[in-house]
């Protein structure tokens, strides 16, 4: 049997089915990446290191990284498609100044500076231009991955970087045109071909826009009618890869084709379904891309030309980072934001490989020079995750701008409200409706400025500090409302008020049942769980819609509220979360009855008591 199995394996290998590279790559991903994440080095560096180990410069289990890289570029394509799905046309239009303003400024200035660096390193002006402009094109995959892992894609700083990356991805198109112009032995026929290429590219863009606006929605509606998940997945992949192919054969970037397809589908009713279908492929292929980049680093070439490569990496990354920082500061970005952008975008990117390969194909640079340029970009990509780790120590501590914000000092209203988030805003309305004078403090300056735009006067102050409570008038207040959303700080404030201002009545927002008990023991006069009453109203409306009269619904809600009060008193007296559990109305008996299973109520109670979730607040 064993011999027969070996024979089948050999036969499969002979017919081109070789699972060894697939298994090796998957193993590298599932072992190396979690290890690097555990060490705090990030997933990107884990993929790059695993690729370097597996590639020709390592143990050589993968001997053709170029083939892997070509396939893995689909990961970048799918990543751009998903980013496009998040970029509705209105949102993209709102970013037009950043894309075509900030993006063009950064690409132009960095390109000029890096071209100058290339000339100083001894390259001819044309070759230095190719080298510098390729390095300007930041790695979309790395930056997007890092921003996504940190949850910064939707922040203002993240949106600016996304805008620059989009412009850089667009820039590859005219740069390839410039390479064709700079190529030796170009004549009139070449010029006509270039104009024809521009026309074909514009036609591809217009065709994709037409298909996206007129065809794709009916197409997916037709597929949805089949109610077959695999058909919808195939349709999603067809759209992504079809758009990429259309742009590729038109001389444009595959990633930009996928991005534009995503933008056109961002307002579609099938948007979330498409994202769910593409996401698994995107994650695997993007990881494969980073593995392939690591494999592509030829340590032999790097060792042979280590002086020029090391000098180029340091010079290009340093000059690019300084330029990005200065541009960001001149355009009113904070020091921290400018520093973060400079470090994140200081490396070269995957589109540099396209530019260098094209330049080598038309004779502008030779093969060894192409290898040096490529190694420089790859090393810069490998160094970026390490630079991000160093950035943690260099980043200034975040401080809030106090512009337009007044600190609490000498307040004397009889009512003090601490925390003006969604809970505090609603709680303030009955008080203000009764014309009571209310002093309000909060420690979020952005929220304070936003509240000022709709007519509220909020003072800056941290309620956990005793001196701020004095300045906010806690000593003269009749009642103090603690409405912040931090459990620990709420309890801390309640304890300060109990010890320092015992005459004031204190009302506090509780997070859950356990926190409510904690607050009562800290001395508050009244507490309410933030979602308790809204949840009761929600459930009451549900039974009304199921046929209960308004009076019946009110009686049921009142009964639930009374049961909760009794249970709460038992928990306060006994000090146990499970006290009064007999007062909870359970669905276990009904569910078991529907399944035809007899239920012992005492057994249900014992099961609940022994459950791992028994301490969860209800």
């Amino acid at each position: 049997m064993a011999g027969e199995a070996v024979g089948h394996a050999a036969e499969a290998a002979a017919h081109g089915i070789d699972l060894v590279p697939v298994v090796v790559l998957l193993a590298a991903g599932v072992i190396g990446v979690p290890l690097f994440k555990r060490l705090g080095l990030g997933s990107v560096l884990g993929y790059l290191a695993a690729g370097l180990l597996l590639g020709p410069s390592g143990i050589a289990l993968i001997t053709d990284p170029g083939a892997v890289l070509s396939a893995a570029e689909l990961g970048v394509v799918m990543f751009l498609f998903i980013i496009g799905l998040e970029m509705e046309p209105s949102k993209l239009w709102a970013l037009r100044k950043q894309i075509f303003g900030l993006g063009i400024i950064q690409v132009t200035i960095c390109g000029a500076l890096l071209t100058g660096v290339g000339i100083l390193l001894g390259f001819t002006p044309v070759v230095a231009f190719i080298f510098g402009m390729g390095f300007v094109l930041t790695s979309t995959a790395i930056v997007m991955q890092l921003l996504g892992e940190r949850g910064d894609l939707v922040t203002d700083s993240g949106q600016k970087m996304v805008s620059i990356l989009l412009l850089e991805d667009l820039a590859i198109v005219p740069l390839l045109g410039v390479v064709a112009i700079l190529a030796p032995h170009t004549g009139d026929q070449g010029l006509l071909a270039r104009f024809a290429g521009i026309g074909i590219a514009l036609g591809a863009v217009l065709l994709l826009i037409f298909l996206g606006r007129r065809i794709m929605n009916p197409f997916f509606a037709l597929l949805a009618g089949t109610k077959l998940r695999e058909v919808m997945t195939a349709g999603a992949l067809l759209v992504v890869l079809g758009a990429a192919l259309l742009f590729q054969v038109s001389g444009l970037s595959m990633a930009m084709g996928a991005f534009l397809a995503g933008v056109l589908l961002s307002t579609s009713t099938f948007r979330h379904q498409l994202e769910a279908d593409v996401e698994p492929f995107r994650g695997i292929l993007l990881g494969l891309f980073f593995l392939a980049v690591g494999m592509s680093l030829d340590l032999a070439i790097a060792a042979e030309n280590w002086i020029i490569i090391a000098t180029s990496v340091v010079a290009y990354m340093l000059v690019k980072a300084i330029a990005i920082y200065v541009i960001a500061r001149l355009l009113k970005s904070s020091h921290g934001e400018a520093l973060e952008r400079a470090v994140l975008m200081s490396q070269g990117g995957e589109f540099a490989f396209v530019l260098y390969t094209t330049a080598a194909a038309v004779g502008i640079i030779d093969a060894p020079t192409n290898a040096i340029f490529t190694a420089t970009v790859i090393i810069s990509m490998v160094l970026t995750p390490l630079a991000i780790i160093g950035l943690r120590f260099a980043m200034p501590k975040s401080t809030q701008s106090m512009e337009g914000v007044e600190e609490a000092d000498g307040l004397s209203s009889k009512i003090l409200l601490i925390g003006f988030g969604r809970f505090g805003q609603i709680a303030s309305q009955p008080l203000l409706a009764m014309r009571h004078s209310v002093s309000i403090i909060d420690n979020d300056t952005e929220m304070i400025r936003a509240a000022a735009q709709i007519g509220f006067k909020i003072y800056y102050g941290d309620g956990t500090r005793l001196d701020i409570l004095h300045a906010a008038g806690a000593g003269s207040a009749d009642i103090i409302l603690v409405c912040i959303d931090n459990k620990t700080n709420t309890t801390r404030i309640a304890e300060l008020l109990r010890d320092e201002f015992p005459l004031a009545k204190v009302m506090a927002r509780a997070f859950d049942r356990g926190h409510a008990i904690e607050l009562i023991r800290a001395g508050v006069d009244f507490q309410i769980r933030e979602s308790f009453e809204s949840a009761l109203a929600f459930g009451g409306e549900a039974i009304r819609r199921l046929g209960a009269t308004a009076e019946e619904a009110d009686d049921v809600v009142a009964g639930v509220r009374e049961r909760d009060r009794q249970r709460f008193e038992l928990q306060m007296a006994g000090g146990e979360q499970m006290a009064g559990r007999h007062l909870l109305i359970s669905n276990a008996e009904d569910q078991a009855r529907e399944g035809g299973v007899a239920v012992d109520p005492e057994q249900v109670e014992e099961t609940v008591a022994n459950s791992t979730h028994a301490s969860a607040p209800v």
Side-chain angles (χ1 to χ4, degrees):
M1 292 294 290
E4 185 179 348
V6 172
H8 285 306
E11 183 180 352
H15 285 82
I17 304 174
D18 186 4
L19 291 180
V20 173
V22 177
V23 172
V24 166
L25 290 171
L26 290 174
V30 300
I31 296 173
V33 174
L35 176 62
F36 273 69
K37 287 275 285 185
R38 189 71 176 266
L39 295 173
L41 300 176
S43 63
V44 174
L45 193 58
Y47 282 120
L48 293 171
L52 182 60
L53 176 66
L54 297 177
S57 297
I59 59 178
L61 282 175
I62 307 295
T63 57
D64 187 9
V68 178
L69 186 60
S70 297
E73 285 177 357
L74 293 177
V76 181
V77 168
M78 292 184 180
F79 196 36
L80 265 292
F81 176 74
I82 291 176
I83 295 298
L85 286 175
E86 300 296 330
M87 289 282 184
E88 297 182 11
S90 57
K91 186 186 295 186
L92 200 59
W93 180 251
L95 291 173
R96 66 191 184 280
K97 292 182 180 178
Q98 294 181 12
I99 296 173
F100 295 104
L102 177 58
I104 289 176
I105 290 173
Q106 181 167 311
V107 168
T108 303
I109 294 177
C110 289
L113 291 173
L114 294 183
T115 299
V117 171
I119 293 173
L120 292 176
L121 290 174
F123 297 106
T124 64
V126 171
V127 173
F129 173 78
I130 298 297
F131 194 4
M133 293 307 300
F135 205 92
V136 164
L137 305 179
T138 307
S139 174
T140 301
I142 287 180
V143 176
M144 289 292 201
Q145 180 84 350
L146 292 171
L147 290 177
E149 286 181 357
R150 295 160 50 181
D152 288 342
L153 280 171
V154 296
T155 64
D156 288 340
S157 175
Q159 290 286 288
K160 289 178 182 177
M161 280 188 266
V162 170
S163 301
I164 296 169
L165 290 171
L166 291 176
L167 189 280
E168 289 178 352
D169 288 348
L170 286 170
I172 189 63
V173 179
L175 283 174
L176 291 175
V178 171
V179 167
I181 293 172
L182 294 176
H185 311 300
T186 57
D188 294 337
Q189 186 176 0
L191 185 62
L192 291 174
R194 286 193 294 274
F195 280 118
I198 294 173
I200 292 173
L202 290 175
V205 172
L206 294 175
L207 176 60
L208 185 56
I209 291 174
F210 169 77
L211 293 174
R213 295 178 66 88
R214 301 292 183 184
I215 305 298
M216 288 188 191
N217 265 324
F219 171 68
F220 281 110
L222 181 65
L223 296 184
T226 66
K227 300 187 183 302
L228 295 173
R229 177 67 183 269
E230 63 272 19
V231 173
M232 285 292 290
T233 302
L237 292 175
L238 175 62
V239 168
V240 178
L241 300 180
L245 178 62
L246 174 64
F247 270 46
Q248 183 187 43
V249 299
S250 304
L252 299 173
S253 160
M254 290 193 298
M256 283 309 302
F259 174 78
L260 182 55
V263 171
L264 293 171
L265 288 169
S266 61
T267 57
S268 168
T269 54
F270 303 99
R271 165 189 160 188
H272 297 294
Q273 177 69 46
L274 292 170
E275 187 171 356
D277 287 337
V278 172
E279 177 64 30
F281 299 97
R282 189 279 305 177
I284 293 174
L285 288 172
L286 195 58
L288 186 61
F289 171 80
F290 293 126
L291 283 168
V293 169
M295 288 183 235
S296 301
L297 181 56
D298 191 332
L299 294 183
I301 291 178
E304 187 178 342
N305 301 278
W306 71 271
I307 296 178
I308 185 63
I309 292 176
T311 305
S312 298
V313 169
V314 173
Y316 275 62
M317 291 188 74
L318 191 60
V319 170
K320 186 179 179 183
I322 292 173
I324 292 172
Y325 177 85
V326 172
I327 292 168
R329 294 292 282 160
L330 290 175
L331 296 177
K332 310 300 183 184
S333 292
S334 66
H335 167 64
E337 180 182 335
L339 185 61
E340 180 182 49
R341 191 187 309 167
V343 173
L344 271 173
M345 305 190 75
S346 62
Q347 90 283 142
E350 51 274 3
F351 286 122
F353 307 144
V354 178
L355 188 67
Y356 297 157
T357 302
T358 304
V362 299
I364 296 178
I365 60 176
D366 55 25
T369 303
N370 182 23
I372 291 172
F373 290 178
T374 300
T376 301
V377 171
I378 292 174
I379 292 173
S380 74
M381 295 169 73
V382 171
L383 290 177
T384 298
L386 294 174
I388 297 298
I389 296 172
L391 179 65
R392 299 173 190 169
F393 303 98
M395 280 290 285
K397 292 183 178 180
S398 58
T399 57
Q400 299 189 90
S401 169
M402 297 298 291
E403 182 181 354
V405 175
E406 186 176 345
E407 295 188 46
D409 187 21
L411 307 184
S412 58
S413 297
K414 295 300 181 182
I415 301 172
L416 172 61
L417 191 151
I418 303 173
F420 200 62
R422 54 188 175 85
F423 190 95
Q425 292 166 24
I426 297 171
S428 72
Q429 292 302 286
L431 298 168
L432 297 173
M434 292 294 292
R435 303 295 181 186
H436 287 294
S437 175
V438 183
S439 294
I440 306 174
I441 65 171
D442 199 286
N443 62 357
D444 185 341
T445 57
E446 289 189 13
M447 190 284 304
I448 293 173
R449 283 188 285 270
Q453 295 176 1
I454 55 175
F456 284 91
K457 179 61 179 178
I458 316 296
Y459 295 91
Y460 178 80
D462 183 355
T464 61
R465 290 174 48 185
L466 183 58
D467 59 330
I468 297 297
L469 291 175
H470 278 290
S476 60
D478 292 333
I479 188 167
I480 300 173
L481 285 69
V482 185
C483 301
I484 64 175
D485 62 357
N486 184 294
K487 291 170 61 176
T488 303
N489 288 347
T490 299
T491 304
R492 169 65 177 158
I493 294 171
E495 291 170 344
L496 281 175
L497 295 175
R498 175 194 62 195
D499 297 339
E500 301 293 333
F501 310 101
L503 298 181
K505 298 181 178 65
V506 179
M507 300 175 63
R509 166 192 184 179
F511 177 75
D512 56 22
R513 194 176 204 84
H515 190 218
I517 294 172
E518 187 178 296
L519 288 173
I520 290 177
R521 290 173 178 160
V524 303
D525 298 281
F526 176 83
Q527 53 70 36
I528 187 168
R529 282 164 277 160
E530 57 187 20
S531 59
F532 180 70
E533 288 297 333
S534 60
L536 280 180
F538 193 82
E541 180 61 27
I543 60 175
R544 272 191 288 271
R545 289 173 180 264
L546 289 171
T549 65
E551 184 178 355
E552 287 173 336
D554 290 343
D555 288 343
V556 169
V557 169
V560 173
R561 187 182 286 107
E562 175 60 21
R563 281 171 171 268
D564 183 83
R565 184 192 64 77
Q566 293 176 18
R567 181 171 171 240
F568 193 84
E569 289 180 353
L570 289 171
Q571 289 175 325
M572 282 290 299
E576 295 181 2
Q577 283 283 347
M578 293 305 298
R581 62 182 180 273
H582 63 280
L583 294 167
L584 282 172
I585 305 171
S586 171
N587 73 330
E589 192 170 345
D590 288 340
Q591 290 294 311
R593 189 183 302 116
E594 288 181 10
V597 179
V599 174
D600 180 357
E602 292 184 1
Q603 184 180 358
V604 172
E605 183 175 323
E606 183 180 354
T607 301
V608 172
N610 294 329
S611 169
T612 56
H613 301 288
S615 61
V618 178

